[in-house]
Amino acid sequence: MEKNKPIPVENQNIIYYQEDEIDIYELYLVLKKRWKTVFLTFLLFLLIAVGYILIATPIYSMEFYIRIPKYIVSVEETSSLIRNLHNKLKEENYTELSKTLDLPENNLRKIKDINPEKLRNNKEIIKIHIETNQSNLIPVISSKILDYLNNYPYIKEKLKIEKEKLAQLINISQSELENMKKTKDLILKNIQEGKIQNFSFNPADIDAKILEISQRITQLQLKLQELKGFELSVSPTIPKKPTKPKKALIIAVASVSGLFLGIFLAFLKEWIENARKRHEENMS
């Protein structure tokens, strides 16, 4: 019988080990051992979040809608005018903004944002978003923005010109209507007196023309009534609760972040301690 005869591969019990294999139980033991690290990190993040919520200035936000005057200004032009206020606010140019909106600088410093938003497929309404530290300022700000738009020189002049133009057209049409009515009365009188026996026109055409002019005057008058400048389509309401800081979101993010960082620090401390022990064993 031969000694040291190799054993066939198929009869060998080969066990493979993966050096990087993750043992869940070992991870559990590490976390159990380092639970204070995880808990304290979690608690620290939670306290920071709560502290931020307590000291953060509350921000109230509200949206309101403005109806744009027809035939005078477009949504894009209106948005540009509101964007001008937004830019001055971001530049903290409170002196110029105070002149523009006729508001004290102290109140303007409490405004955090004025931002326009164009509505899809709507050429008559624009939405304006306001953020401020003081909720009771929202109706005041919306009113001042409306005054600012209506008193803007370009829009004010254009509105005046359009009104004068429509008024002139109405006067011309009314004069034309009066002349047509006089012509009709004269023709009817001549017919009754027998002065007109044969006429080369249809008298009904005069009535049709009178009706046409009357309808034109009505349309012009309605158009003139619509030229009222900018108007509030949906008035703002004072919000009861601030929209910022978002307490629930801050607490959730802080909790998750603290938990993950705590677990990372627990494994990092365990790795450092094991590395130190291996170093000491190699040195001895």
Side-chain angles (χ1 to χ4, degrees):
M1 184 175 181
E2 295 183 5
K3 296 181 179 181
N4 300 327
K5 184 177 180 181
I7 302 174
V9 176
E10 58 272 14
N11 296 330
Q12 296 181 11
N13 294 323
I14 300 176
I15 302 176
Y16 295 94
Y17 293 93
Q18 294 183 356
E19 294 182 359
D20 297 331
E21 182 180 358
I22 298 177
D23 192 328
I24 296 178
Y25 183 69
E26 289 182 1
L27 297 180
Y28 165 75
L29 293 178
V30 173
L31 293 177
K32 183 178 180 182
K33 178 181 177 182
R34 305 288 180 181
W35 69 270
K36 289 184 179 180
T37 300
V38 177
F39 175 74
L40 290 176
T41 306
F42 170 81
L43 184 62
L44 176 63
F45 271 66
L46 194 60
L47 289 175
I48 292 174
V50 172
Y52 171 76
I53 291 173
L54 292 176
I55 65 174
T57 304
I59 302 294
Y60 297 87
S61 65
M62 177 52 62
E63 295 171 345
F64 66 98
Y65 298 82
I66 287 181
R67 185 178 301 279
I68 299 171
K70 292 182 179 179
Y71 325 113
I72 300 299
V73 65
S74 66
V75 175
E76 289 74 18
E77 289 173 321
T78 305
S79 179
S80 177
L81 292 175
I82 302 299
R83 184 69 61 182
N84 183 40
L85 300 177
H86 170 83
N87 294 335
K88 288 181 181 179
L89 194 63
K90 292 304 176 184
E91 294 168 1
E92 298 185 356
N93 190 354
Y94 298 115
T95 303
E96 186 67 25
L97 197 58
S98 176
K99 296 177 182 178
T100 303
L101 291 179
D102 191 24
L103 279 172
E105 289 189 27
N106 290 337
N107 288 345
L108 292 172
R109 294 179 186 277
K110 297 174 183 177
I111 303 174
K112 297 305 175 184
D113 193 23
I114 299 175
N115 203 21
E117 182 179 340
K118 293 183 288 186
L119 303 178
R120 183 178 298 179
N121 299 327
N122 195 321
K123 301 297 183 181
E124 298 180 5
I125 303 292
I126 188 170
K127 180 168 71 173
I128 300 177
H129 179 81
I130 297 177
E131 291 185 356
T132 177
N133 294 341
Q134 194 170 334
S135 60
N136 58 6
L137 276 178
I138 290 178
V140 178
I141 297 168
S142 63
S143 176
K144 292 298 182 179
I145 291 176
L146 200 63
D147 291 341
Y148 156 71
L149 292 172
N150 282 321
N151 292 320
Y152 195 79
Y154 166 75
I155 296 175
K156 195 174 181 179
E157 183 65 22
K158 196 171 180 180
L159 190 64
K160 178 183 176 182
I161 293 173
E162 188 66 22
K163 284 183 176 180
E164 291 176 352
K165 179 182 175 181
L166 289 173
Q168 185 178 7
L169 290 174
I170 290 172
N171 290 333
I172 293 173
S173 297
Q174 286 176 340
S175 297
E176 187 180 352
L177 180 63
E178 290 299 321
N179 291 333
M180 289 300 298
K181 288 181 177 179
K182 290 179 180 179
T183 301
K184 177 184 175 182
D185 293 340
L186 181 60
I187 292 173
L188 290 176
K189 181 180 178 180
N190 289 333
I191 292 174
Q192 291 173 356
E193 293 176 355
K195 294 180 180 180
I196 300 178
Q197 299 293 333
N198 298 316
F199 28 81
S200 59
F201 63 92
N202 186 354
D205 291 341
I206 298 178
D207 291 327
K209 188 64 177 179
I210 290 175
L211 179 60
E212 179 188 340
I213 297 173
S214 299
Q215 290 175 343
R216 186 202 311 159
I217 292 173
T218 301
Q219 291 174 354
L220 290 171
Q221 289 173 339
L222 289 174
K223 193 174 180 180
L224 182 60
Q225 290 176 1
E226 291 176 351
L227 290 178
K228 297 180 181 179
F230 292 90
E231 295 179 310
L232 283 176
S233 176
V234 178
S235 301
T237 56
I238 299 177
K240 296 181 180 179
K241 296 181 179 180
T243 54
K244 296 178 183 178
K246 298 182 178 181
K247 300 178 182 180
L249 179 61
I250 293 173
I251 293 294
V253 171
S255 300
V256 173
S257 301
L259 184 62
F260 275 98
L261 183 60
I263 293 172
F264 171 77
L265 291 176
F267 287 117
L268 181 62
K269 290 179 68 175
E270 184 70 16
W271 178 82
I272 292 174
E273 184 176 321
N274 291 336
R276 182 176 56 81
K277 288 181 179 178
R278 287 194 299 268
H279 179 71
E280 290 175 354
E281 291 174 357
N282 292 335
M283 293 296 292
S284 60

